[in-house]
């Protein structure tokens, strides 16, 4: 199987380590590929199937996924599907601080081999769908128009988007908190 490895410069108009576009058709993404950057897809309308290794996931409006660098994947779209593709280099957010810590920790976890534990689809809760779509549109507008300070604004929107993505993912995890009351006798016996 021929797997293409994309670099961000594949997109002729990539700027400041980021690229975003709204797509209604795909060519290269329909073939197994990998890249050296993170990529977020958000489905605005229609349906697509995302393949990561042997795992596939059906996505529709309000679903998104994030792919870290080096992970082979591809998508298959149905007719009349529209989605956002936001690509960015891992280092665009600088050093961790109080404003980007959750986003950077989440990306770091994905980048360092825990991708197999991340679901290939995250469903945005209904009340957040319009908010995520607004962020995507704002990212696209900043990227397209490139007004003064657009890189900083895009980085801020990206941190917001990834933080929301991490929050949705973490809240969907099964509760891993141990139930000490149910284990009380075992604990007392050990003591």
């Amino acid at each position: 199987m021929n797997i293409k490895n994309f670099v961000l410069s594949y997109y002729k108009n990539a700027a400041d380590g980021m690229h975003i576009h709204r797509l209604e058709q795909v060519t290269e993404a329909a073939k197994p590929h990998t890249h050296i950057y993170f990529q977020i897809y958000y489905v605005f309308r229609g349906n697509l199937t995302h393949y990561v290794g042997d795992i596939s996931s059906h996505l529709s409006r309000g679903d998104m996924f994030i792919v870290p660098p080096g992970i082979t994947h591809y998508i298959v779209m149905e007719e009349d599907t529209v989605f956002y593709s936001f690509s960015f280099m891992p280092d665009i957010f600088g050093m961790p601080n109080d404003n980007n810590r959750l986003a950077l920790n989440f990306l770091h976890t994905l980048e360092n081999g825990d991708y197999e534990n991340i679901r290939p689809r995250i469903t945005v809760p209904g009340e957040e769908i319009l908010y995520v779509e607004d962020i995507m549109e704002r990212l696209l507008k900043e990227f397209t128009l490139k007004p003064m300070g657009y890189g900083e604004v895009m980085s801020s929107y990206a941190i917001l988007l990834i933080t929301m993505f991490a929050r949705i993912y973490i809240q969907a995890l099964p509760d891993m908190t141990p139930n000490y009351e149910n284990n009380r006798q075992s604990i007392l016996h050990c003591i």
Side-chain angles (χ1 to χ4, degrees):
M1 176 186 319
N2 185 16
I3 298 173
K4 188 163 186 170
N5 185 22
F6 290 106
V7 294
L8 202 54
S9 61
Y10 169 80
Y11 302 111
K12 304 297 184 251
N13 59 346
D16 291 331
M18 293 178 268
H19 182 271
I20 185 169
H21 49 190
R22 187 173 158 155
L23 297 164
E24 297 182 21
Q25 63 182 356
V26 295
T27 54
E28 296 297 331
K31 302 171 190 167
H33 67 279
T34 185
H35 29 73
I36 63 167
Y37 47 84
F38 280 94
Q39 188 173 49
I40 294 175
Y41 277 20
Y42 173 81
V43 179
F44 178 73
R45 182 180 73 221
N47 301 286
L48 62 82
T49 304
H50 178 223
Y51 294 88
V52 179
D54 296 336
I55 301 170
S56 68
S57 188
H58 184 75
L59 287 79
S60 56
R61 182 175 184 218
D63 291 333
M64 59 193 304
F65 68 81
I66 185 168
V67 177
I71 300 295
T72 302
H73 69 114
Y74 66 99
I75 64 168
V76 175
M77 288 176 51
E78 293 180 10
E79 203 170 305
D80 297 324
T81 297
V82 176
F83 67 95
Y84 293 91
S85 172
F86 177 51
S87 304
F88 56 93
M89 294 303 291
D91 59 354
I92 65 165
F93 304 120
M95 298 300 294
N97 60 53
D98 289 342
N99 297 321
N100 66 10
R101 193 168 323 284
L102 179 59
L104 289 180
N105 286 342
F106 185 67
L107 294 177
H108 181 73
T109 298
L110 291 176
E111 195 173 21
N112 289 305
D114 287 341
Y115 190 73
E116 61 275 1
N117 297 321
I118 303 295
R119 294 182 308 274
R121 180 191 78 194
I122 298 282
T123 300
V124 176
E127 66 274 7
E128 300 289 336
I129 288 175
L130 294 177
Y131 189 57
V132 169
E133 290 172 0
D134 184 56
I135 294 170
M136 289 294 193
E137 274 300 311
R138 289 172 184 267
L139 277 165
L140 184 59
K141 183 178 178 182
E142 289 290 325
F143 183 76
T144 303
L145 299 177
K146 294 182 179 40
M148 181 175 37
Y150 77 94
E152 290 90 343
V153 172
M154 286 186 70
S155 291
S156 297
Y157 284 138
I159 289 169
L160 179 60
L161 184 69
I162 295 161
T163 300
M164 289 179 65
F165 188 78
R167 183 188 302 160
I168 293 165
Y169 172 75
I170 291 166
Q171 289 174 344
L173 288 174
D175 186 14
M176 302 302 277
T177 307
N179 185 341
Y180 293 110
E181 275 307 308
N182 290 343
N183 298 322
R184 182 181 167 108
Q185 290 304 320
S186 297
I187 294 170
L188 289 175
H189 177 70
C190 290
I191 292 172

